[in-house]
Amino acid sequence: MFQLTMAYQETLPPLLKNRYFCGQCLIQCFVFGGFFTYIGGSSFLFQNIYHVSAQVYSYIFGFIGLGLLFMGALPARLSGTVSGASMLRAALWGHLTGAVLFLAGVLLSAPLWYSMVSLFIAIVPLSVLGASSTSMALESCGKNAGSASAILGFSSMVLGGVLMPAAGAMGENSALPMALIMVCCFALGLGAFYHYVVPAHRGKDGGLTSKREEEQPAAAENQN
């Protein structure tokens, strides 16, 4: 126990001072917060508002889950040709676009198919985001990658646990809290990306650098 405490005392301060790594933690914190809000509110949405049966709801939930599964293959296929920062940016914009479409549908009482499509767009980029963000974050931590992984795991869960009950804040027959929370979480995640991550990957031409050219200033900070 003493050795474990000493190890964390040596590894945590550099990680918490690592602006790039903390930015990745914030991205995962906000995005997974939005994702867990969807998990907590989707049953109310489909069963209480659209009045689908439990079996049909399971099909809808499984359909979005299959999207997550197939989307998870993209990072490996695109590795080496598309930078991690570019994949992360695309995923974040996908999350926010889908959430905004879903919010518009809630306000306009859109039909079932519309909510299914908008939620599909809002949720399936999570596989790309999780892979690219985690890889980039751990690469920036060098020998402290083990402790960094633990902090990332905590970051991705803590906000979701708080927000899941809030999805039903207006009762079982309103999806507005769910939609608003998702939009806010994904917008905050995108803001964290542009504030903390983009400056470290900005190329001379103004675009995001390729994976091979990505600099890891945070790793240099750790070594110092």
Side-chain angles (χ1 to χ4, degrees):
M1 179 65 71
F2 176 75
Q3 292 180 343
L4 181 62
T5 302
M6 291 298 295
Y8 274 103
Q9 287 179 346
E10 293 176 1
T11 58
L12 282 181
L15 290 175
L16 297 178
K17 294 177 182 178
N18 185 333
R19 177 182 173 88
Y20 182 87
F21 172 73
C22 289
Q24 295 285 3
C25 287
L26 285 174
I27 290 172
Q28 295 205 22
C29 180
F30 291 131
V31 172
F32 275 88
F35 172 70
F36 281 112
T37 300
Y38 153 75
I39 295 292
S42 60
S43 61
F44 299 118
L45 170 71
F46 292 115
Q47 293 185 273
N48 293 356
I49 298 176
Y50 289 110
H51 305 292
V52 303
S53 66
Q55 185 175 13
V56 172
Y57 167 65
S58 69
Y59 291 151
I60 296 171
F61 197 82
F63 169 69
I64 295 177
L66 284 176
L68 285 168
L69 177 65
F70 287 113
M71 189 67 71
L74 278 182
R77 290 182 175 274
L78 298 177
S79 178
T81 58
V82 179
S83 70
S86 296
M87 285 191 282
L88 182 56
R89 177 179 59 186
L92 285 165
W93 276 111
H95 282 304
L96 183 57
T97 300
V100 170
L101 290 174
F102 175 60
L103 175 59
V106 170
L107 294 174
L108 298 174
S109 300
L112 174 61
W113 68 266
Y114 179 91
S115 292
M116 289 176 57
V117 171
S118 59
L119 283 175
F120 186 88
I121 297 171
I123 298 302
V124 296
L126 186 71
S127 297
V128 175
L129 179 138
S132 57
S133 175
T134 299
S135 175
M136 293 161 63
L138 296 183
E139 285 177 1
S140 74
C141 296
K143 63 180 182 180
N144 295 328
S147 298
S149 179
I151 296 174
L152 276 173
F154 173 80
S155 300
S156 64
M157 300 295 171
V158 61
L159 187 60
V162 174
L163 292 179
M164 281 184 71
M170 295 179 64
E172 298 180 353
N173 296 313
S174 175
L176 185 58
M178 170 185 169
L180 288 173
I181 292 172
M182 289 176 64
V183 169
C184 290
C185 283
F186 294 151
L188 287 170
L190 188 63
F193 169 75
Y194 278 103
H195 186 69
Y196 293 102
V197 177
V198 167
H201 294 276
R202 183 66 70 187
K204 294 180 180 180
D205 59 353
L208 297 181
T209 54
S210 65
K211 187 173 182 180
R212 295 175 182 174
E213 298 171 342
E214 287 175 359
E215 296 181 358
Q216 299 168 8
E221 292 178 7
N222 285 343
Q223 294 176 357
N224 294 333

